[in-house]
Amino acid sequence: MPDDRGDTARGGIRAVILDFYGTLVRLVEPLPPSHRSLFARRGLTEAAERWGDQWAVGPRDGEEHTAHSVSEQAYRAWEVDRLRRRARDCGVPEPVAGELAVELDRAMKDLRLALFDDVVDTLAELRARGVRVAVCSNWYWDLDRAIEDVGLAGLVDTAVTSARAGARKPHPLIYRAVLERCQVPAGQALFVGDMWEPDVAGPLACGMRAAHLWRADRVVEGVAPPLPDGAVRISSLAALSGLL
């Protein structure tokens, strides 16, 4: 798919802020165990049916949770307690719900991640051109460790995760946090990501420019949304060089 570039994306960029999952990394096998299998191990088949989608367990996009992000201990306790309460609502008795919540939390974070092929060269070029590189993601507490594990620690200047920022994209709080870390005004930052609301609409509303990453082999069904002023669409991170 050809790149759709607009005049508003040319020049003046001092920081490129990238989403993490779906933009820099992808999930690879072995995949984490399904929630259903963890329920079944305990004979909780009916509760598993009530639970449903294994990923629909976290805070909603755009949700603020600053009260739980005051420390790593507080946030991790909130993560497990959220799972415990949902398990209990699905019919899992105490104290099994507490034990199951701990196992569910561990399984959700046991992810095998791999970089997309265009990541390393692109980030290296950005840094060589003096552009500050940041990652901003709706992720767990230890985003910095995930970045290091995939080999990007030396190519990323700063990282902001929703867990520590106290809000999930597209809440403006997380964008303000990453702009402060980058030490640039919003108008000199380009946000890059594959999700429309968190990575395009949200950054635009905060005054940043945005590049919608629409990878040909990973796009969701349907037609890509029309581009508003201040946004471009790219099919590869390699196209970022031409936007600067």
Side-chain angles (χ1 to χ4, degrees), residues 32-43 48 54 100 103-104 107:
S34 70
H35 285 189
R36 187 180 301 275
S37 68
L38 300 182
F39 278 82
R41 190 180 303 167
R42 293 174 167 81
Q54 66 169 319
L100 179 61
E103 190 172 1
L104 289 168

Side-chain angles (χ1 to χ4, degrees), residues 51-68:
W51 183 279
D53 182 5
Q54 66 169 319
W55 297 111
V57 295
R60 303 177 305 276
D61 281 358
E63 181 177 337
E64 181 179 346
H65 44 75
T66 50
H68 302 290

Side-chain angles (χ1 to χ4, degrees), residues 4-221:
D4 187 354
R5 304 178 183 179
D7 292 339
T8 55
R10 298 193 182 118
I13 299 299
R14 293 173 52 203
V16 173
I17 305 168
L18 302 109
D19 172 49
F20 188 55
Y21 184 76
T23 299
L24 300 178
V25 300
R26 55 190 174 86
L27 193 63
V28 295
E29 295 183 343
L31 302 179
S34 70
H35 285 189
R36 187 180 301 275
S37 68
L38 300 182
F39 278 82
R41 190 180 303 167
R42 293 174 167 81
L44 300 169
T45 54
E46 292 185 8
E49 290 296 330
R50 297 190 190 101
W51 183 279
D53 182 5
Q54 66 169 319
W55 297 111
V57 295
R60 303 177 305 276
D61 281 358
E63 181 177 337
E64 181 179 346
H65 44 75
T66 50
H68 302 290
S69 296
V70 293
S71 69
E72 180 178 3
Q73 181 180 7
Y75 189 82
R76 292 189 184 278
W78 179 56
E79 288 180 303
V80 174
D81 186 61
R82 197 170 59 235
L83 294 166
R84 181 191 62 79
R85 287 185 282 108
R86 177 167 176 174
R88 190 181 57 191
D89 291 344
C90 290
V92 179
E94 294 281 11
V96 178
E99 298 170 356
L100 179 61
V102 171
E103 190 172 1
L104 289 168
D105 179 67
R106 186 183 305 117
M108 288 168 56
K109 297 171 182 175
D110 186 20
L111 305 175
R112 304 294 189 273
L113 302 172
L115 295 172
F116 287 104
D117 293 340
D118 54 5
V119 173
V120 171
D121 288 347
T122 297
L123 299 195
E125 182 179 357
L126 291 175
R127 287 170 57 87
R129 295 175 67 169
V131 176
R132 193 163 180 81
V133 175
V135 175
C136 180
S137 176
N138 288 343
W139 199 256
Y140 308 115
W141 190 270
D142 50 0
L143 175 61
D144 50 351
R145 184 184 306 168
I147 290 172
E148 183 176 355
D149 287 346
V150 296
L152 290 182
L155 293 175
V156 173
D157 295 299
T158 190
V160 173
T161 173
S162 57
R164 300 193 189 202
R168 288 174 63 87
K169 299 180 295 183
H171 195 288
L173 179 62
I174 190 171
Y175 302 126
R176 290 198 295 266
V178 73
L179 287 170
E180 183 177 344
R181 294 278 288 272
C182 289
Q183 298 182 318
V184 299
Q188 294 180 354
L190 173 68
F191 203 103
V192 184
D194 65 318
M195 301 298 291
W196 187 256
E197 290 295 331
D199 301 329
V200 180
L204 288 175
C206 286
M208 288 184 272
R209 305 175 191 183
H212 184 209
L213 181 59
W214 191 256
R215 295 186 187 275
D217 59 342
R218 292 182 61 86
V219 297
V220 297
E221 293 184 5

